[in-house]
Amino acid sequence: MEQEQLSLWLAVVAYVLAGMLAIFGVVFAKKYEKSILFFMCTGLALHAVAIALRWIRLEHGPYLTMFEILSSNLFTLMLFFIIFYWRYKPVRPSAAVVLPVLFIMMAWMMFVPHDAGMIPASFDTIWLWIHIGFGKVFMGAVLVAVGMGGIIVLRQCAWGERKFSNLPSNERLDDLAFRFMAVALIFDSLMLIAGALWAHDAWGRYWGWDPLETWAFITWLVLVIALHLRATVKLSYEQGAYLIFAVFALGFLTFYGIPFISDAPHQGTFG
Amino acid sequence: MTASSSRLVAYSSSLKLTLLLFLFLGISVVLWHFTEHKLKDWLITIPLLFLAFNLITSMLTNKIFRIHGWLLLFHVGLLLLLLLIGISQVTKLIGSVEVTNGTVYDQSSAQWQQGIFHRNRLDRLQFKLEKFNINYASSHGEVVRLDTQAYITWVDEEGKVKKGVVGDRVPLKIYGYKLYTTHNKGFAPMFKWYPNQGGAVEGSVHLPAWPEHELNQANDLQIPNTPYKLWLTLKFFDPILSSTGPSIFRIPDDPLLIVRVDEKRYELQPGDFIDFPTGRLEYLGLNTWMGFQVFYDWSLPWMLGASLLALFGLAGHFWKKFAPTPWQNSLEEEEKNRWNKNN
């Protein structure tokens, strides 16, 4: 238990160091890219140890309590972003936008109770893994798009324009964001399909418009609207960025907010 | 085609209209949650119908669908899905039924909603709930429901008697219907009515679901073919479920059945009687009941197929759009152009 907590705290410290270096790098026009990658990877490895120790101790994966959901999502979002950071060198300063977003999750994760939960019978299915796996890729793809959108919006002020002047043009950032939003749509759709299969398995109905299903559908719809608008109306890059933020905010609310205010059987967490 | 009809087609196939209809659908879905009107499903049906019409006219008139085959496939998949959702609504059945422990299913205790083209065969179902178990555990001082097992004997479509255990993710399947165990269950006082003339009849009263309606364990009993209506309630102090360890749903150790007939009050134990001018009512004891969800929808595998077809088309469209020009290549090209411009 102590080793688990220690690993988690050290992981958070490493993530925060990576985030701070990313922000300092942008503010002071310095290149800390290797250090940032090192701290992110170290944090991820320590986080993996913390999750594994808890998994062994409780004999179930990190998907029951709010703490477990935040921790596993933080882990997968970080993993997704590290791969992106490694592969897309020209836009690495986007870490200064993305990592502070993840700080919110880290702070939330550290302050919620770390107690164990009970596994409901409906969680004993492979569809749980498929459903949440697709959901994590969806959020990871939108998070990367948020990074691009954040740079586009920050560039609206003179300071941001100056600090991010070495990055690709807004057109290229918007294009990259759009590609990730396309990936997000595919995985969000897959998540809904897998969720419907699971719901049918667990409760004898594939779609019941419970609050979580409703907000998951609205998130999907706003994502579709964002992509459709881009294809049919000449949106400015900033407008496109704000739509990305809207999708991320809705996705965040659906994943972490709705399960805690709804009494529907389709709760994402069990305390 | 006349000018006005061309204009109508142009409007109805507009991709900007699609955006408005998406907004309409989103608002309708939110409004659906805030109304209890019996026609509220139309809030979602109407925008979906408009979207289907918009989609059909777009596919017929917009050349983009002829250029991009994958995009067409995606939209065909979506259209099929909408069509199947529509067919599902008129052919499916969703219902619930309560069955007393140790007794056979009785259609009169079932409630359901069915589409206008559903061929109802609920009267053919024959099964007996032999017994059921629901396990509970404690978590942070709260009781959490775990697994459910219902032991069923049923007669299949070929008339063969079968036995099995259903529960949680394993439904009982008969005549295309799927019967799922639910969290709904409760206590059922059993009675036997001995009329002065004619044979005795046995029956039970299902008290409200427990523990959901723990503080309202009361119901009425109308004795068959008589004017006698009884109000009854169950009292017990046995906690049944434990907030500190594992427990199981069971009949309490100290149940007291209180019955009111007009101004008279009775406290009954198993074997006690109440005499009426036209017969005698015997309280046989306390039993339990289990609620099942009944579901029938033949379109589900087809809907899954249409969803996957749409998704396959969407993935193919994005792959064709992005794969030939990796983002890094377009970036290099932009930098080359910028360099050429500066020099």
Side-chain angles (χ1 to χ4, degrees):
Chain A
M1 180 83 175
E2 279 177 16
Q3 277 181 326
E4 193 183 303
Q5 289 294 320
L6 183 67
S7 293
L8 189 65
W9 273 106
L10 288 174
V12 169
V13 168
Y15 291 152
V16 171
L17 282 173
M20 283 168 64
L21 281 178
I23 295 167
F24 289 152
V26 168
V27 172
F28 301 113
K30 300 275 186 196
K31 286 223 168 202
Y32 299 124
E33 289 177 3
K34 281 187 180 169
S35 304
I36 293 167
L37 191 60
F38 168 77
F39 280 122
M40 284 197 298
C41 289
T42 306
L44 194 75
L46 288 164
H47 197 166
V49 170
I51 288 174
L53 288 172
R54 186 180 173 91
W55 196 322
I56 293 163
R57 180 168 63 86
L58 300 179
E59 297 178 344
H60 67 73
Y63 45 69
L64 282 186
T65 63
M66 181 59 145
F67 166 73
E68 288 169 0
I69 289 175
L70 283 167
S71 175
S72 66
N73 275 292
L74 178 63
F75 179 82
T76 48
L77 287 176
M78 194 57 85
L79 174 66
F80 202 94
F81 187 68
I82 287 173
I83 295 168
F84 170 80
Y85 193 85
W86 169 55
R87 294 286 298 158
Y88 290 82
K89 288 181 186 170
V91 282
R92 281 183 169 179
S94 64
V97 175
V98 169
L99 293 179
V101 174
L102 297 183
F103 287 173
I104 300 168
M105 285 179 74
M106 286 177 216
W108 193 359
M109 176 184 78
M110 298 316 282
F111 285 109
V112 293
H114 291 200
D115 305 329
M118 295 299 302
I119 306 178
S122 59
F123 275 40
D124 181 22
T125 166
I126 185 70
W127 289 111
L128 169 73
W129 294 95
I130 298 170
H131 175 62
I132 60 177
F134 287 145
K136 286 177 196 302
V137 178
F138 153 65
M139 281 302 278
V142 181
L143 181 72
V144 168
V146 164
M148 302 304 106
I151 296 170
I152 291 170
V153 169
L154 285 171
R155 272 179 168 169
Q156 294 311 298
C157 66
W159 179 88
E161 179 64 49
R162 214 167 46 245
K163 295 298 175 189
F164 293 109
S165 59
N166 289 334
L167 266 71
S169 67
N170 281 351
E171 187 187 354
R172 293 273 66 79
L173 294 179
D174 178 68
D175 178 37
L176 187 59
F178 176 54
R179 288 169 189 241
F180 276 93
M181 289 294 272
V183 171
L185 178 61
I186 288 169
F187 280 89
D188 193 17
S189 306
L190 283 168
M191 180 188 76
L192 294 184
I193 292 169
L197 286 164
W198 177 22
H200 184 63
D201 224 20
W203 305 302
R205 92 295 190 281
Y206 61 93
W207 194 269
W209 291 114
D210 74 25
L212 194 57
E213 287 166 350
T214 300
W215 284 100
F217 177 75
I218 289 172
T219 306
W220 180 85
L221 197 62
V222 173
L223 177 54
V224 168
I225 290 172
L227 288 168
H228 215 276
L229 265 171
R230 203 182 180 283
T232 53
V233 180
K234 187 73 186 158
L235 282 181
S236 68
Y237 301 129
E238 303 86 66
Q239 287 168 330
Y242 286 120
L243 275 170
I244 292 168
F245 298 160
V247 173
F248 185 77
L250 273 170
F252 199 87
L253 178 76
T254 304
F255 272 42
Y256 311 115
I258 300 299
F260 299 94
I261 56 169
S262 158
D263 290 329
H266 188 166
Q267 284 192 308
T269 65
F270 290 79
Chain B
M1 197 182 275
T2 64
S4 58
S5 57
S6 312
R7 222 172 18 247
L8 186 67
V9 169
Y11 281 134
S12 56
S13 63
S14 159
L15 298 181
K16 285 176 186 160
L17 176 67
T18 315
L19 286 166
L20 286 175
L21 291 173
F22 281 149
L23 278 177
F24 180 23
L25 177 62
I27 293 165
S28 297
V29 165
V30 175
L31 287 177
W32 185 90
H33 271 274
F34 293 100
T35 176
E36 290 301 321
H37 198 279
K38 61 179 182 177
L39 297 175
K40 71 176 195 170
D41 286 350
W42 284 100
L43 272 173
I44 296 172
T45 309
I46 290 170
L48 283 178
L49 284 173
F50 277 120
L51 272 167
F53 183 67
N54 171 250
L55 184 55
I56 293 167
T57 50
S58 299
M59 281 163 59
L60 292 174
T61 59
N62 199 322
K63 65 180 180 192
I64 198 166
F65 291 108
R66 288 189 284 282
I67 301 167
H68 301 290
W70 287 106
L71 200 61
L72 178 67
L73 184 66
F74 167 53
H75 286 88
V76 167
L78 279 184
L79 195 60
L80 279 174
L81 185 61
L82 285 173
L83 189 70
L84 285 164
I85 290 171
I87 295 172
S88 157
Q89 293 303 310
V90 293
T91 55
K92 75 176 179 185
L93 179 142
I94 296 178
S96 59
V97 62
E98 292 173 5
V99 186
T100 308
N101 200 4
T103 67
V104 294
Y105 154 80
D106 176 5
Q107 196 197 353
S108 64
S109 65
Q111 293 180 319
W112 67 88
Q113 284 186 315
Q114 66 176 68
I116 50 171
F117 295 117
H118 177 77
R119 192 161 59 90
N120 194 311
R121 285 158 295 167
L122 287 178
D123 56 341
R124 294 195 200 173
L125 305 191
Q126 293 179 61
F127 71 90
K128 184 180 179 185
L129 175 62
E130 303 286 357
K131 63 171 183 171
F132 67 90
N133 298 324
I134 304 176
N135 293 305
Y136 287 83
S138 68
S139 173
H140 313 303
E142 286 189 18
V143 179
V144 180
R145 184 167 52 89
L146 299 178
D147 53 314
T148 301
Q149 298 98 30
Y151 294 80
I152 307 282
T153 303
W154 74 96
V155 181
D156 71 7
E157 285 102 301
E158 293 163 1
K160 289 178 188 161
V161 177
K162 293 191 167 177
K163 281 179 186 283
V165 182
V166 302
D168 300 320
R169 290 171 298 101
V170 183
L172 169 66
K173 294 178 187 172
I174 329 178
Y175 287 99
Y177 293 105
K178 289 181 181 173
L179 285 94
Y180 291 83
T181 56
T182 66
H183 65 283
N184 231 11
K185 81 282 176 190
F187 300 109
M190 305 281 291
F191 295 94
K192 195 165 189 176
W193 169 243
Y194 302 92
N196 293 342
Q197 291 172 338
V201 282
E202 258 185 49
S204 63
V205 178
H206 290 182
L207 296 177
W210 194 91
E212 194 177 354
H213 300 288
E214 189 175 5
L215 302 176
N216 179 30
Q217 291 293 297
N219 208 344
D220 292 332
L221 167 62
Q222 176 74 54
I223 299 176
N225 307 316
T226 70
Y228 312 130
K229 192 173 187 179
L230 289 69
W231 177 86
L232 44 98
T233 187
L234 186 69
K235 299 279 180 210
F236 58 88
F237 298 100
D238 182 6
I240 299 184
L241 302 182
S242 166
S243 57
T244 55
S247 48
I248 190 164
F249 177 66
R250 59 177 172 80
I251 292 171
D253 291 335
D254 55 351
L256 177 66
L257 189 72
I258 298 165
V259 177
R260 274 191 186 281
V261 188
D262 296 328
E263 297 304 310
K264 286 187 183 165
R265 181 180 185 274
Y266 302 86
E267 290 188 358
L268 301 184
Q269 295 292 341
D272 288 351
F273 296 94
I274 302 177
D275 284 319
F276 292 88
T278 56
R280 169 177 270 196
L281 184 73
E282 181 187 4
Y283 171 47
L284 299 175
L286 192 60
N287 199 348
T288 53
W289 62 266
M290 156 69 77
F292 289 84
Q293 169 143 335
V294 188
F295 186 83
Y296 173 90
D297 191 345
W298 65 270
S299 67
L300 283 188
W302 297 98
M303 273 202 241
L304 176 63
S307 309
L308 293 177
L309 181 74
L311 213 50
F312 185 61
L314 185 67
H317 173 68
F318 284 138
W319 180 261
K320 202 177 165 206
K321 188 179 174 75
F322 298 132
T325 52
W327 183 77
Q328 281 89 343
N329 290 10
S330 63
L331 190 65
E332 279 167 20
E333 205 168 299
E334 184 183 81
E335 278 171 4
K336 213 183 288 173
N337 291 342
R338 197 188 300 166
W339 193 85
N340 289 339
K341 210 171 153 186
N342 293 339
N343 296 283

